[in-house]
């Protein structure tokens, strides 16, 4: 069973979402290659909407399929470029809880996501919240092998007019092909991070 099928067998999927940004400059010199940021997301029914449930394992246990499916979709959106940074996020509709989103993006999700993007060593920055349809969320980005690489601290915003409905969860990931354009405030570099791990 492929990852998409595994997601659909465990969660009631309403929609898959994709977003790509290609930016050539932020006021400085125009580069030959853009910074590409991509978001892959999925909108699923929240089985615990409207009620408190102590055991959230029905959301946690199948979440590696979410990490794999979203990771593969995000990588494909980079158009052959390698993933340099990544992040995860989610919104629970108003009949749910923030904890329902968190359950979908815990360690087992993260491990599958890391593998899907080609391997990574750093913890995955995340944001989660409860909100009404149309609310946006900033997905944080950080270098995939060392979170302290300052040039890659970034984010991408995603918002959909009808997502999430009160009984839904919106789970999403983001990847980027590089650090911020024109970054110049110092800090650990990618090269230093790799040398430290050698």
């Amino acid at each position: 069973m492929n990852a998409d099928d595994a997601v659909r067998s465990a969660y009631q999927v309403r929609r898959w979402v994709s977003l790509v940004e290609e930016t050539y400059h932020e006021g400085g010199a125009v580069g030959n290659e853009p910074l590409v940021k991509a978001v892959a997301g999925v909108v699923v029914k929240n089985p615990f909407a409207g009620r408190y449930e102590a055991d959230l394992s029905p959301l946690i246990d199948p979440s590696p399929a979410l990490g794999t499916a979203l990771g593969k979709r995000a990588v494909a959106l980079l158009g052959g470029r390698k993933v340099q940074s990544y992040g995860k996020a989610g919104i629970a509709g108003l009949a749910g809880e923030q904890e329902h989103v968190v359950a979908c993006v815990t360690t087992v999700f993260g491990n599958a996501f890391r593998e899907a993007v080609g391997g990574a060593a750093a913890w995955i920055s995340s944001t989660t919240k409860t909100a009404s349809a149309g609310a946006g969320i900033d997905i944080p980005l950080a270098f995939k092998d060392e979170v302290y690489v300052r040039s890659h601290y970034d984010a991408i915003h995603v918002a959909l007019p009808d997502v999430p409905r009160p009984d839904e969860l919106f789970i999403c990931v983001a990847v980027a092909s590089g650090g911020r354009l024109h970054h110049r405030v110092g800090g650990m570099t990618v090269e230093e991070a790799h040398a430290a791990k050698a």
Side-chain angles (χ1 to χ4, degrees):
M1 181 183 302
N2 68 34
D4 283 11
D5 290 341
V7 169
R8 287 195 300 271
S9 73
Y11 304 88
Q12 187 176 327
V13 174
R14 178 163 74 89
R15 181 185 301 169
W16 294 96
V17 176
S18 298
L19 168 69
V20 178
E21 292 182 357
E22 297 183 30
T23 306
Y24 284 88
H25 74 91
E26 291 287 356
V30 178
N32 292 325
E33 281 293 318
L35 169 61
V36 181
K37 300 181 196 176
V39 174
V42 66
V43 183
V44 300
K45 187 172 180 60
N46 182 354
F48 303 129
R51 65 185 175 91
Y52 178 84
E53 175 58 57
D55 179 11
L56 299 182
S57 59
L59 291 174
I60 298 169
D61 292 347
S63 68
L66 284 173
T68 298
L70 292 174
K72 287 183 175 181
R73 285 169 177 262
V75 168
L77 294 171
L78 290 186
R81 298 170 180 87
K82 291 199 177 295
V83 173
Q84 284 202 27
S85 53
Y86 62 2
K88 60 186 180 178
I91 307 174
L94 292 179
E97 303 172 39
Q98 182 180 10
E99 200 71 3
H100 297 156
V101 178
V102 174
C104 293
V105 296
T106 61
T107 302
V108 290
F109 170 98
N111 290 341
F113 179 39
R114 285 186 186 91
E115 185 175 337
V117 301
W123 62 276
I124 307 166
S125 300
S126 68
T127 52
T128 59
K129 66 181 185 179
T130 303
S132 59
I137 193 160
D138 290 328
I139 308 172
L141 290 163
F143 183 54
K144 71 180 184 68
D145 292 320
E146 173 53 77
V147 74
Y148 295 111
V149 174
R150 191 177 298 159
S151 59
H152 286 55
Y153 293 167
D154 205 347
I156 183 169
H157 186 81
V158 61
L160 302 165
D162 67 335
V163 173
R165 293 174 181 172
D167 64 346
E168 290 181 333
L169 303 171
F170 177 42
I171 310 299
C172 50
V173 302
V175 295
S177 64
R180 296 184 315 280
L181 295 174
H182 320 311
H183 59 82
R184 55 193 187 279
V185 293
M188 181 185 287
T189 66
V190 168
E191 293 74 21
E192 288 169 343
H194 285 155
K197 294 182 185 302

